[in-house]
Amino acid sequence: MTILQILKYPNKNLTKKSEKVHTLNKEIINLAYSMIETMINNKGIGIAAPQVNVNKRIIVIAINEKIKPIILINPIITMKEGVTINTEGCLSFPDTFVKVKRSKIIKVLFIDLQGKKNLIFADNLLSVCIQHEINHLNGITLYDKI
Ligand SMILES: [Zn+2]
């Protein structure tokens, strides 16, 4: 596991659409663990692969230290409900905070590190964080939310 460098806006890779992960190989697994280490090292609560210069659909999230980080590969939002407005930050936009409107509750389908399909039900901070990171996979950054 390695602490990776985080791309900062306006790096062009942050605005690219990321590709699906087709094969869950060692490289992808190592990348996911390195993303967790990078996120924790930078005191973030979520990070998306394009932020570490890999345009693949992988996000990792740990909304607090007590909960084991989660790794979502090829995440897709299958249900959204309600509205919530929160002030968000981003490791690619140091010292920038933006009020963003998002869905309050979401259901997300994803592949886990074992290659199994999984469904997660998220609300509050977890929901907001997943939506923020999925935005990164589509090249959407906080800049687009200003
Ligand atoms: Zn971000």
Side-chain angles (χ1 to χ4, degrees):
M1 284 178 270
T2 327
I3 292 171
L4 305 165
Q5 188 157 3
I6 297 176
L7 301 184
K8 303 285 191 297
Y9 191 81
N11 187 293
K12 280 206 172 91
N13 276 344
L14 290 171
T15 50
K16 270 191 207 161
K17 203 173 162 172
S18 291
E19 290 173 4
K20 266 191 176 176
V21 174
H22 294 291
T23 325
L24 204 60
N25 53 24
K26 215 173 169 190
E27 194 190 333
I28 295 291
I29 292 165
N30 286 342
L31 170 67
Y33 284 122
S34 294
M35 284 169 63
I36 290 174
E37 206 163 303
T38 305
M39 170 183 70
I40 292 168
N41 189 257
N42 286 277
K43 297 183 168 52
I45 57 169
I47 195 166
Q51 290 181 278
V52 293
N53 210 11
V54 180
N55 286 99
K56 290 195 190 299
R57 303 187 80 82
I58 306 166
I59 64 177
V60 302
I61 289 172
I63 53 166
N64 80 54
E65 301 142 2
K66 288 176 213 140
I67 302 171
K68 214 175 138 205
I70 51 170
I71 299 162
L72 293 88
I73 298 166
N74 299 340
I76 296 167
I77 296 174
T78 58
M79 186 279 284
K80 33 184 163 178
E81 224 175 80
V83 172
T84 181
I85 298 169
N86 295 277
T87 303
E88 296 181 19
C90 180
L91 293 174
S92 297
F93 288 80
D95 307 316
T96 305
F97 297 93
V98 183
K99 269 196 176 168
V100 185
K101 190 172 161 185
R102 300 203 186 267
S103 302
K104 197 168 196 296
I105 301 167
I106 57 170
K107 252 190 209 170
V108 185
L109 188 67
F110 66 99
I111 308 287
D112 65 23
L113 265 201
Q114 281 72 47
K116 286 191 192 127
K117 268 191 189 175
N118 238 301
L119 195 63
I120 191 172
F121 181 84
D123 62 2
N124 299 318
L125 183 58
L126 182 59
S127 167
V128 166
C129 190
I130 293 174
Q131 292 173 75
H132 177 115
E133 302 311 334
I134 290 178
N135 273 172
H136 275 300
L137 303 182
N138 295 320
I140 298 164
T141 68
L142 270 193
Y143 182 80
D144 301 293
K145 304 286 184 184
I146 293 171

